[in-house]
Amino acid sequence: MANSLYNGTACRIPVRDQCPVVNSSSRHVFRSISFSSNLSYLPLKTLEMGLEKHVEQNRMVVKAMTDFDARGVDIDIDISLSPRVNALKPSKTVAISDQATALVQAGVPVIRLAAGEPDFDTPAVIAEVGINAIREGYTRYTPNAGTLELRQAICHKLKEENGITYTPDQIVVSNGAKQSLTQAVIAVCSPGDEVIIPAPFWVSYPEMARLADATPVILPTSISDNFLLDPKLLESKITERSRVLILCSPSNPTGSVYPKKLLEEIAQIVAKYPRLLVISDEIYEHIIYAPATHTSFASLPGMWDRTLTVNGFSKAFAMTGWRLGYLAGPKHFAAACGKIQSQFTSGASSISQKAAVAALGMGYAGGEAVSTMVKAFRERRDFLIKSFSEMGGIKISEPQGAFYLFLDFSSYYGREAEGFGKIEDSESLCRYLLDKGQVAMVPGSAFGDDSCIRISYAASLTTLQAAVERIKKALTPLSSAALV
């Protein structure tokens, strides 16, 4: 079952109900065809059909054959997809999380350490405001860019906590930070532009670039440098086509935090290139461990005009299901993102926006409720660092923020696992640990670094203790296995 996650997932070809050969006496016959990135199907009612796949000059045609009458009827249905969509890869973190959930629902005791989702409930004060919004009938459309109340609250937060000043017309509230990021990339990139992305990267960044018909340019970083971008490497890769540099601090997947001095060095390089903009993903800013501190890139000298800052409520406020994020930037960029949103989803949930105002009113950096969560995350991080350090054969970069460990397990590659086969890379090791240890994690290849595995510690300490024991037990046979 685990192999289907990595090697392709069965799906059914969709066929429209409006097909003119429907026969009410026909039986449903569906034939599954394996694809790697499509998990949906639309059944054709009361039609007996067989499906034969053809690929012809990048155009897929399916012939539906029926016994509608004595003559038989053939229909050619063009189910080709946009090359832009075909170029996208499905999110491996979402896929693994979904499969781990399915295994648990099927009775398999899998410990899920794949999803980047806090295990805490939304603070009660936030939830109560959302509930009251429903009771009071605050359930209608809001302005496309967000309510004025929320945008004003965001402006206040950014000035007080981040040292950057905006007006409400420079804020666009969206259905999650992911939407804000995607709209930002689409708004500023043209076909052929380059989007510079340090690796390890969040899985969606390169796909956002491809969706905008831009080219992702991946810059590797090293675990010995705490996965931080080397400014000299950055400058060596900038070309006349470079349009966007995406920075994420604290980082998903590494938990690395960019020191202010390093950001200033990067800013000096960015300033030399008039076309180069920066998208600063700051969704984890409040989940940070002292002595590390957060610096907003737009607060650096000369960077306000060329920075699009993205943040949201999912991580720090444990509001993943509320689906709410925002973008802050110069008015012309914000307006462009708002234009996309107006034709894409329109405004975010009215209820979530009311709750977000309450979240921003909880105090500096989320107040006591957020600091309590951060304290728990730090305790979990410290436990995992100590536990994996004792195992041996694992390289560790201690995260300064977020709730992920990005550990180098490459010393286990090339070993033969009895009853499983050869451990070749991060994907096969994750399959092995899911199969033998029943712990779900994400292979580093999804983040652009195949030597590592991402472990989310957004789970209780008891759960993490059990996971460590399972991982240790599963790795023990590999430690003694000879390299193949």
Side-chain angles (χ1 to χ4, degrees):
M1 191 170 187
N3 287 339
S4 66
L5 181 65
Y6 302 91
N7 298 333
T9 305
C11 68
R12 293 182 173 112
I13 299 288
V15 184
R16 295 293 181 189
D17 285 333
Q18 292 86 348
C19 181
V21 297
V22 170
N23 182 338
S24 60
S25 64
S26 299
R27 295 177 291 109
H28 292 282
V29 177
F30 301 107
R31 183 178 180 184
S32 293
I33 297 179
S34 178
F35 287 93
S36 61
S37 60
N38 189 350
L39 299 175
S40 62
Y41 72 92
L42 178 63
L44 178 62
K45 297 177 181 178
T46 62
L47 176 65
E48 179 173 336
M49 63 183 178
L51 296 179
E52 180 180 1
K53 185 175 68 173
H54 299 279
V55 179
E56 180 180 347
Q57 296 179 343
N58 297 321
R59 179 175 178 270
M60 187 182 296
V61 177
V62 171
K63 178 172 290 188
M65 298 166 287
T66 79
D67 58 356
F68 178 68
D69 57 24
R71 297 170 299 162
V73 179
D74 288 349
I75 304 171
D76 285 341
I77 304 171
D78 185 346
I79 64 165
S80 60
L81 299 176
S82 159
R84 190 175 299 181
V85 173
N86 276 331
L88 298 181
K89 300 175 183 176
S91 171
K92 199 162 284 186
T93 53
V94 172
I96 293 171
S97 298
D98 287 350
Q99 187 183 20
T101 299
L103 288 171
V104 170
Q105 292 172 346
V108 181
V110 171
I111 295 177
R112 292 169 285 182
L113 303 182
E117 180 171 37
D119 58 312
F120 299 98
D121 291 332
T122 301
V125 64
I126 301 174
E128 194 62 32
V129 169
I131 292 168
N132 289 337
I134 297 172
R135 288 173 175 160
E136 295 167 6
Y138 196 77
T139 56
R140 300 183 181 277
Y141 292 135
T142 71
N144 176 63
T147 64
L148 180 60
E149 178 187 33
L150 178 54
R151 285 181 286 139
Q152 288 176 332
I154 291 171
C155 289
H156 177 76
K157 174 259 188 267
L158 290 171
K159 184 175 182 179
E160 294 298 313
E161 296 183 1
N162 304 85
I164 40 181
T165 301
Y166 295 96
T167 54
D169 60 355
Q170 295 168 329
I171 307 293
V172 179
V173 178
S174 302
N175 299 278
K178 182 181 284 190
Q179 181 179 351
S180 297
L181 289 162
T182 303
Q183 290 176 168
V185 174
I186 292 174
V188 302
C189 288
S190 301
D193 280 345
E194 294 176 345
V195 177
I196 300 173
I197 305 170
F201 46 74
W202 182 42
V203 295
S204 294
Y205 294 149
E207 309 315 313
M208 291 172 181
R210 294 185 180 100
L211 192 60
D213 244 0
T215 302
V217 177
I218 309 303
L219 303 189
T221 63
S222 170
I223 192 170
S224 61
D225 295 325
N226 294 317
F227 297 113
L228 297 173
L229 177 62
D230 181 351
K232 294 179 181 178
L233 176 63
L234 169 63
E235 187 153 29
S236 71
K237 297 298 182 180
I238 296 175
T239 72
E240 68 278 2
R241 295 183 299 277
S242 301
R243 180 57 172 159
V244 173
L245 166 65
I246 299 181
L247 292 175
C248 181
S249 178
S251 165
N252 176 6
T254 66
S256 299
V257 174
Y258 276 82
K260 184 176 182 179
K261 182 178 179 181
L262 179 55
L263 288 177
E264 289 173 340
E265 292 180 42
I266 293 172
Q268 291 172 1
I269 293 170
V270 170
K272 299 177 184 178
Y273 301 91
R275 285 201 76 232
L276 188 58
L277 304 175
V278 175
I279 294 177
S280 183
D281 183 350
E282 303 181 10
I283 189 70
Y284 293 96
E285 67 161 328
H286 291 328
I287 305 175
I288 198 165
Y289 313 120
T293 57
H294 174 71
T295 299
S296 285
F297 197 81
S299 70
L300 301 176
M303 290 300 107
W304 187 94
D305 289 313
R306 59 169 74 206
T307 302
L308 301 175
T309 300
V310 173
N311 209 323
F313 299 86
S314 294
K315 309 301 182 179
F317 296 101
M319 293 176 67
T320 52
W322 297 77
R323 306 311 308 130
L324 201 67
Y326 60 88
L327 173 142
K331 185 176 179 179
H332 51 290
F333 291 138
C337 293
K339 186 191 301 184
I340 296 169
Q341 183 162 294
S342 72
Q343 299 291 3
F344 186 30
T345 62
S346 298
S349 162
S350 58
I351 300 154
S352 297
Q353 291 186 65
K354 272 292 185 184
V357 173
L360 294 179
M362 287 169 55
Y364 190 91
E368 184 178 354
V370 173
S371 65
T372 298
M373 288 188 275
V374 173
K375 182 180 178 180
F377 286 136
R378 181 168 193 153
E379 182 183 11
R380 299 168 186 180
R381 179 203 67 169
D382 292 346
F383 164 74
L384 290 176
I385 290 291
K386 181 176 183 296
S387 298
F388 283 109
S389 296
E390 293 171 350
M391 288 186 196
I394 302 172
K395 295 179 183 177
I396 299 172
S397 170
E398 184 173 299
Q400 300 301 305
F403 38 69
Y404 308 107
L405 283 181
F406 202 64
L407 305 179
D408 186 331
F409 283 85
S410 59
S411 66
Y412 290 92
Y413 299 172
R415 300 181 186 273
E416 191 79 28
E418 184 178 355
F420 180 85
K422 186 179 179 181
I423 304 296
E424 297 179 333
D425 48 27
S426 61
E427 291 201 9
S428 57
L429 183 56
C430 279
R431 289 201 307 271
Y432 171 77
L433 292 172
L434 181 60
D435 182 33
K436 300 298 183 182
Q438 295 181 334
V439 180
M441 297 171 287
V442 188
S445 57
F447 307 99
D449 188 337
D450 192 42
S451 63
C452 296
I453 288 177
R454 192 192 78 171
I455 301 173
S456 169
Y457 50 91
S460 70
L461 189 58
T462 301
T463 299
L464 294 173
Q465 288 168 342
V468 165
E469 288 304 312
R470 292 187 185 187
I471 294 170
K472 183 178 181 180
K473 184 177 180 180
L475 290 178
T476 298
L478 295 183
S479 299
S480 57
L483 291 172
V484 178

